[in-house]
Amino acid sequence: MTTKKIRDFLAERRPTPYLVVDLDVVADNYRKLKDAVPQAGIYYAVKANPSPEILSMLARLGSSFDTATVNEIDMALKAGVSGDRISYGNTIKKKDDIAAAFGRGVRLFAFDSEAELAKLSAAAPGAKVFCRILTSGEGADWPLSRKFGCDIEMARELLISAASKGVVPHGVSFHVGSQMKDPNAWEAAVAQAAWLFRECEDAGVQLNMLNIGGGFPTKYRKDIPSMMTYGEAIHASLARHFGNRVPEIIVEPGRQMVGNAGVIDTEVVLVSRKSKKDARRWVYLDIGKFGGLAETMDEAIQYPIVSAKKGGKVERVVLAGPTCDSADVMYEKADYRLPVDLEPGDRLEIRSTGAYTTTYSSVAFNGIDPLKTYCI
Ligand SMILES: *Cc1c(COP(=O)(O)O)cnc(C)c1O
């Protein structure tokens, strides 16, 4: 998506590549999420885009923050929230980092294993802990399954044992997978969580919080269901499985909050062919997989790419980045078409790039600077 503010900014033709984010769109996304899941506490996943302007605006709007490292915790604190509005949601933490977070006032921690629970018990006494459960990731363009979470039998044992380890067993979390296109994907995990709540209660452990993660999509090349459709499906699942005893709910949006708010301005460096017989053009940009477009891996996330040259004939292209690495090809199979008169120096807009771009951009591969952000 592009806005007048973004179009005016792009017209000033700064050196590329850079990301420009319209903060009004982020604020609008926050309100849409709030309207769709009014009962939920919003914990913005900092890794999606940690620009200070975004964090402080979300803090002002009332957001809390999901963080994965002490550095991210410090970014959230700097944005103006206190430790009680920060969740340390990474299930893989060093003990010293847990202690540092605890020292900064953070009291909400994720875990998915016995060893992590032991670290929390030693370094964050009295903290509220929640157990992440496995999900299938089916229907997500960028799944987060396998690596995170444990099965519900294990979660049950860990949560029950937490009570005797000096921490407070607070609840259950899951993530259905990022860019989840199926609004009903929360159903199975909510059912499993409700089972865990009942099992723990039977064992004398009262859980209070259900963290339904992120996964809400942003619009790339294809249309997506509205945020309200997701809210209604989730509300129905909660009512179905928790009845009139729905616990405190937390959501952790990343992509939904910032994805469509950003546009990357990039310049064409080279247009070429591999042989006289090969009709397909290779278009090399000044940004690639290592400059921020990592989610083009396996062509999973397909950003809308727009040329200012309108009206003329378009033809299929392969899109590649500028580095000396043959993995730095964004789209080869996906059907991308660009004007036949495209030439070096032309600019392209890579749209819906507000999420998971700057954080993925490398520090100096081939001496290329990290992706710059302008928040307007
Ligand atoms: C990355 C992440 C999120 C955000 O996911 P989106 O799909 O971008 O909404 C939420 N929770 C956790 C634990 C994460 O790691």
Side-chain angles (χ1 to χ4, degrees), residues 111 113-114 117 131 150-165 169 195-196 199-200 203 205:
F111 71 97
S113 67
E114 191 174 355
L117 184 57
C131 188
C150 61
D151 75 14
I152 50 173
E153 288 295 341
M154 186 181 275
R156 176 182 168 277
E157 276 179 34
L158 291 174
L159 282 164
I160 292 168
S161 75
S164 60
K165 291 190 170 144
W195 179 86
L196 270 170
E199 289 285 315
C200 286
V205 171

mmCIF file of all heavy atoms in Angstrom, residues 111 113-114 117 131 150-165 169 195-196 199-200 203 205:
data_model
loop_
_atom_site.group_PDB
_atom_site.id
_atom_site.type_symbol
_atom_site.label_atom_id
_atom_site.label_comp_id
_atom_site.label_asym_id
_atom_site.label_seq_id
_atom_site.Cartn_x
_atom_site.Cartn_y
_atom_site.Cartn_z
ATOM 1 N N PHE A 111 8.487 -20.067 28.230
ATOM 2 C CA PHE A 111 9.383 -21.231 28.256
ATOM 3 C C PHE A 111 8.691 -22.363 27.506
ATOM 4 O O PHE A 111 7.472 -22.333 27.294
ATOM 5 C CB PHE A 111 9.725 -21.649 29.692
ATOM 6 C CG PHE A 111 8.569 -22.274 30.434
ATOM 7 C CD1 PHE A 111 8.438 -23.657 30.501
ATOM 8 C CD2 PHE A 111 7.602 -21.495 31.042
ATOM 9 C CE1 PHE A 111 7.366 -24.248 31.158
ATOM 10 C CE2 PHE A 111 6.526 -22.074 31.707
ATOM 11 C CZ PHE A 111 6.412 -23.449 31.760
ATOM 12 N N SER A 113 10.438 -25.736 27.863
ATOM 13 C CA SER A 113 11.235 -26.912 28.219
ATOM 14 C C SER A 113 11.569 -26.881 29.699
ATOM 15 O O SER A 113 11.496 -25.823 30.350
ATOM 16 C CB SER A 113 12.528 -26.933 27.409
ATOM 17 O OG SER A 113 13.331 -25.830 27.815
ATOM 18 N N GLU A 114 11.975 -28.038 30.203
ATOM 19 C CA GLU A 114 12.313 -28.149 31.621
ATOM 20 C C GLU A 114 13.557 -27.309 31.942
ATOM 21 O O GLU A 114 13.626 -26.640 32.970
ATOM 22 C CB GLU A 114 12.575 -29.624 31.956
ATOM 23 C CG GLU A 114 12.666 -29.869 33.429
ATOM 24 C CD GLU A 114 12.779 -31.358 33.761
ATOM 25 O OE1 GLU A 114 12.699 -32.199 32.841
ATOM 26 O OE2 GLU A 114 12.960 -31.656 34.952
ATOM 27 N N LEU A 117 12.710 -23.664 32.181
ATOM 28 C CA LEU A 117 11.968 -23.411 33.426
ATOM 29 C C LEU A 117 12.934 -23.342 34.613
ATOM 30 O O LEU A 117 12.779 -22.497 35.504
ATOM 31 C CB LEU A 117 10.923 -24.516 33.626
ATOM 32 C CG LEU A 117 9.974 -24.378 34.819
ATOM 33 C CD1 LEU A 117 9.204 -23.061 34.770
ATOM 34 C CD2 LEU A 117 8.989 -25.555 34.853
ATOM 35 N N CYS A 131 3.790 -21.281 29.180
ATOM 36 C CA CYS A 131 4.385 -22.360 28.385
ATOM 37 C C CYS A 131 3.875 -22.290 26.952
ATOM 38 O O CYS A 131 2.670 -22.197 26.698
ATOM 39 C CB CYS A 131 4.019 -23.709 29.006
ATOM 40 S SG CYS A 131 4.889 -25.077 28.216
ATOM 41 N N CYS A 150 6.257 -27.026 22.988
ATOM 42 C CA CYS A 150 6.342 -28.453 23.324
ATOM 43 C C CYS A 150 4.939 -29.031 23.208
ATOM 44 O O CYS A 150 3.972 -28.275 23.069
ATOM 45 C CB CYS A 150 6.904 -28.640 24.735
ATOM 46 S SG CYS A 150 5.904 -27.891 26.036
ATOM 47 N N ASP A 151 4.810 -30.344 23.245
ATOM 48 C CA ASP A 151 3.459 -30.893 23.118
ATOM 49 C C ASP A 151 2.686 -30.687 24.424
ATOM 50 O O ASP A 151 3.268 -30.332 25.455
ATOM 51 C CB ASP A 151 3.475 -32.346 22.631
ATOM 52 C CG ASP A 151 3.883 -33.359 23.699
ATOM 53 O OD1 ASP A 151 3.917 -33.010 24.905
ATOM 54 O OD2 ASP A 151 4.163 -34.510 23.337
ATOM 55 N N ILE A 152 1.364 -30.873 24.368
ATOM 56 C CA ILE A 152 0.553 -30.461 25.521
ATOM 57 C C ILE A 152 0.750 -31.368 26.737
ATOM 58 O O ILE A 152 0.582 -30.911 27.857
ATOM 59 C CB ILE A 152 -0.946 -30.318 25.151
ATOM 60 C CG1 ILE A 152 -1.468 -31.555 24.427
ATOM 61 C CG2 ILE A 152 -1.170 -29.066 24.318
ATOM 62 C CD1 ILE A 152 -2.973 -31.513 24.198
ATOM 63 N N GLU A 153 1.146 -32.617 26.521
ATOM 64 C CA GLU A 153 1.438 -33.483 27.671
ATOM 65 C C GLU A 153 2.621 -32.915 28.452
ATOM 66 O O GLU A 153 2.613 -32.848 29.683
ATOM 67 C CB GLU A 153 1.772 -34.910 27.191
ATOM 68 C CG GLU A 153 0.577 -35.688 26.670
ATOM 69 C CD GLU A 153 -0.456 -35.961 27.761
ATOM 70 O OE1 GLU A 153 -0.103 -35.876 28.961
ATOM 71 O OE2 GLU A 153 -1.617 -36.229 27.399
ATOM 72 N N MET A 154 3.658 -32.540 27.717
ATOM 73 C CA MET A 154 4.829 -31.962 28.365
ATOM 74 C C MET A 154 4.487 -30.619 29.006
ATOM 75 O O MET A 154 4.909 -30.330 30.132
ATOM 76 C CB MET A 154 5.978 -31.807 27.365
ATOM 77 C CG MET A 154 7.271 -31.354 28.008
ATOM 78 S SD MET A 154 8.616 -31.152 26.825
ATOM 79 C CE MET A 154 9.247 -32.805 26.738
ATOM 80 N N ALA A 155 3.700 -29.804 28.294
ATOM 81 C CA ALA A 155 3.309 -28.492 28.826
ATOM 82 C C ALA A 155 2.560 -28.661 30.149
ATOM 83 O O ALA A 155 2.771 -27.908 31.107
ATOM 84 C CB ALA A 155 2.433 -27.758 27.813
ATOM 85 N N ARG A 156 1.703 -29.664 30.201
ATOM 86 C CA ARG A 156 0.932 -29.926 31.413
ATOM 87 C C ARG A 156 1.860 -30.197 32.594
ATOM 88 O O ARG A 156 1.747 -29.588 33.662
ATOM 89 C CB ARG A 156 0.021 -31.134 31.141
ATOM 90 C CG ARG A 156 -0.780 -31.614 32.306
ATOM 91 C CD ARG A 156 -1.593 -32.850 31.910
ATOM 92 N NE ARG A 156 -2.142 -33.483 33.105
ATOM 93 C CZ ARG A 156 -1.468 -34.322 33.858
ATOM 94 N NH1 ARG A 156 -0.218 -34.652 33.557
ATOM 95 N NH2 ARG A 156 -2.018 -34.831 34.947
ATOM 96 N N GLU A 157 2.809 -31.111 32.381
ATOM 97 C CA GLU A 157 3.756 -31.443 33.464
ATOM 98 C C GLU A 157 4.585 -30.239 33.889
ATOM 99 O O GLU A 157 4.791 -30.002 35.078
ATOM 100 C CB GLU A 157 4.714 -32.552 32.994
ATOM 101 C CG GLU A 157 4.141 -33.934 33.154
ATOM 102 C CD GLU A 157 5.105 -34.996 32.646
ATOM 103 O OE1 GLU A 157 6.340 -34.794 32.778
ATOM 104 O OE2 GLU A 157 4.618 -35.999 32.088
ATOM 105 N N LEU A 158 5.067 -29.485 32.901
ATOM 106 C CA LEU A 158 5.934 -28.341 33.217
ATOM 107 C C LEU A 158 5.168 -27.267 33.983
ATOM 108 O O LEU A 158 5.674 -26.717 34.962
ATOM 109 C CB LEU A 158 6.527 -27.748 31.928
ATOM 110 C CG LEU A 158 7.555 -28.627 31.203
ATOM 111 C CD1 LEU A 158 7.950 -27.999 29.874
ATOM 112 C CD2 LEU A 158 8.787 -28.841 32.079
ATOM 113 N N LEU A 159 3.938 -26.970 33.547
ATOM 114 C CA LEU A 159 3.158 -25.924 34.214
ATOM 115 C C LEU A 159 2.827 -26.327 35.646
ATOM 116 O O LEU A 159 2.904 -25.515 36.574
ATOM 117 C CB LEU A 159 1.878 -25.630 33.423
ATOM 118 C CG LEU A 159 2.075 -24.765 32.174
ATOM 119 C CD1 LEU A 159 0.859 -24.851 31.249
ATOM 120 C CD2 LEU A 159 2.353 -23.307 32.556
ATOM 121 N N ILE A 160 2.481 -27.601 35.826
ATOM 122 C CA ILE A 160 2.147 -28.060 37.188
ATOM 123 C C ILE A 160 3.388 -28.015 38.080
ATOM 124 O O ILE A 160 3.327 -27.595 39.234
ATOM 125 C CB ILE A 160 1.505 -29.469 37.147
ATOM 126 C CG1 ILE A 160 0.115 -29.378 36.481
ATOM 127 C CG2 ILE A 160 1.395 -30.075 38.541
ATOM 128 C CD1 ILE A 160 -0.501 -30.705 36.107
ATOM 129 N N SER A 161 4.540 -28.381 37.502
ATOM 130 C CA SER A 161 5.759 -28.386 38.316
ATOM 131 C C SER A 161 6.273 -26.974 38.601
ATOM 132 O O SER A 161 6.978 -26.746 39.580
ATOM 133 C CB SER A 161 6.856 -29.211 37.636
ATOM 134 O OG SER A 161 7.399 -28.488 36.553
ATOM 135 N N ALA A 162 5.893 -26.002 37.738
ATOM 136 C CA ALA A 162 6.386 -24.622 37.921
ATOM 137 C C ALA A 162 6.006 -24.070 39.286
ATOM 138 O O ALA A 162 6.780 -23.345 39.920
ATOM 139 C CB ALA A 162 5.838 -23.724 36.816
ATOM 140 N N ALA A 163 4.797 -24.434 39.734
ATOM 141 C CA ALA A 163 4.296 -23.904 41.008
ATOM 142 C C ALA A 163 5.243 -24.216 42.166
ATOM 143 O O ALA A 163 5.377 -23.421 43.098
ATOM 144 C CB ALA A 163 2.908 -24.472 41.286
ATOM 145 N N SER A 164 5.920 -25.358 42.099
ATOM 146 C CA SER A 164 6.808 -25.738 43.203
ATOM 147 C C SER A 164 8.242 -25.262 42.958
ATOM 148 O O SER A 164 9.163 -25.630 43.674
ATOM 149 C CB SER A 164 6.787 -27.255 43.376
ATOM 150 O OG SER A 164 7.235 -27.856 42.171
ATOM 151 N N LYS A 165 8.420 -24.442 41.920
ATOM 152 C CA LYS A 165 9.785 -23.982 41.593
ATOM 153 C C LYS A 165 9.983 -22.493 41.815
ATOM 154 O O LYS A 165 10.912 -21.888 41.270
ATOM 155 C CB LYS A 165 10.118 -24.352 40.140
ATOM 156 C CG LYS A 165 10.267 -25.856 39.971
ATOM 157 C CD LYS A 165 10.832 -26.233 38.624
ATOM 158 C CE LYS A 165 11.184 -27.719 38.616
ATOM 159 N NZ LYS A 165 10.935 -28.361 37.356
ATOM 160 N N PRO A 169 2.963 -20.222 37.582
ATOM 161 C CA PRO A 169 2.460 -20.738 36.293
ATOM 162 C C PRO A 169 1.272 -19.889 35.857
ATOM 163 O O PRO A 169 0.198 -19.970 36.432
ATOM 164 C CB PRO A 169 2.044 -22.176 36.610
ATOM 165 C CG PRO A 169 1.940 -22.263 38.100
ATOM 166 C CD PRO A 169 2.699 -21.129 38.709
ATOM 167 N N TRP A 195 -7.811 -27.407 27.087
ATOM 168 C CA TRP A 195 -7.537 -28.697 27.730
ATOM 169 C C TRP A 195 -6.490 -28.527 28.831
ATOM 170 O O TRP A 195 -6.633 -29.034 29.942
ATOM 171 C CB TRP A 195 -7.072 -29.711 26.675
ATOM 172 C CG TRP A 195 -6.736 -31.056 27.238
ATOM 173 C CD1 TRP A 195 -7.610 -32.094 27.479
ATOM 174 C CD2 TRP A 195 -5.431 -31.524 27.638
ATOM 175 N NE1 TRP A 195 -6.928 -33.167 28.006
ATOM 176 C CE2 TRP A 195 -5.597 -32.846 28.117
ATOM 177 C CE3 TRP A 195 -4.154 -30.957 27.647
ATOM 178 C CZ2 TRP A 195 -4.528 -33.616 28.598
ATOM 179 C CZ3 TRP A 195 -3.090 -31.712 28.120
ATOM 180 C CH2 TRP A 195 -3.268 -33.025 28.594
ATOM 181 N N LEU A 196 -5.443 -27.772 28.513
ATOM 182 C CA LEU A 196 -4.377 -27.539 29.498
ATOM 183 C C LEU A 196 -4.895 -26.784 30.729
ATOM 184 O O LEU A 196 -4.538 -27.109 31.862
ATOM 185 C CB LEU A 196 -3.250 -26.724 28.856
ATOM 186 C CG LEU A 196 -2.143 -27.512 28.179
ATOM 187 C CD1 LEU A 196 -1.240 -26.575 27.391
ATOM 188 C CD2 LEU A 196 -1.325 -28.270 29.228
ATOM 189 N N GLU A 199 -6.798 -29.344 32.804
ATOM 190 C CA GLU A 199 -5.880 -30.315 33.422
ATOM 191 C C GLU A 199 -5.118 -29.689 34.591
ATOM 192 O O GLU A 199 -4.948 -30.319 35.627
ATOM 193 C CB GLU A 199 -4.889 -30.851 32.382
ATOM 194 C CG GLU A 199 -5.506 -31.779 31.364
ATOM 195 C CD GLU A 199 -5.811 -33.164 31.944
ATOM 196 O OE1 GLU A 199 -4.951 -33.708 32.642
ATOM 197 O OE2 GLU A 199 -6.924 -33.671 31.692
ATOM 198 N N CYS A 200 -4.651 -28.485 34.392
ATOM 199 C CA CYS A 200 -3.904 -27.812 35.459
ATOM 200 C C CYS A 200 -4.820 -27.533 36.644
ATOM 201 O O CYS A 200 -4.426 -27.722 37.797
ATOM 202 C CB CYS A 200 -3.265 -26.521 34.949
ATOM 203 S SG CYS A 200 -1.834 -26.825 33.887
ATOM 204 N N ALA A 203 -5.262 -30.339 38.796
ATOM 205 C CA ALA A 203 -4.077 -30.605 39.621
ATOM 206 C C ALA A 203 -3.850 -29.480 40.628
ATOM 207 O O ALA A 203 -2.787 -29.415 41.262
ATOM 208 C CB ALA A 203 -2.852 -30.768 38.715
ATOM 209 N N VAL A 205 -3.673 -26.183 39.965
ATOM 210 C CA VAL A 205 -2.924 -25.027 39.444
ATOM 211 C C VAL A 205 -3.854 -24.190 38.567
ATOM 212 O O VAL A 205 -4.361 -24.661 37.554
ATOM 213 C CB VAL A 205 -1.694 -25.500 38.631
ATOM 214 C CG1 VAL A 205 -1.048 -24.324 37.902
ATOM 215 C CG2 VAL A 205 -0.681 -26.176 39.549
#
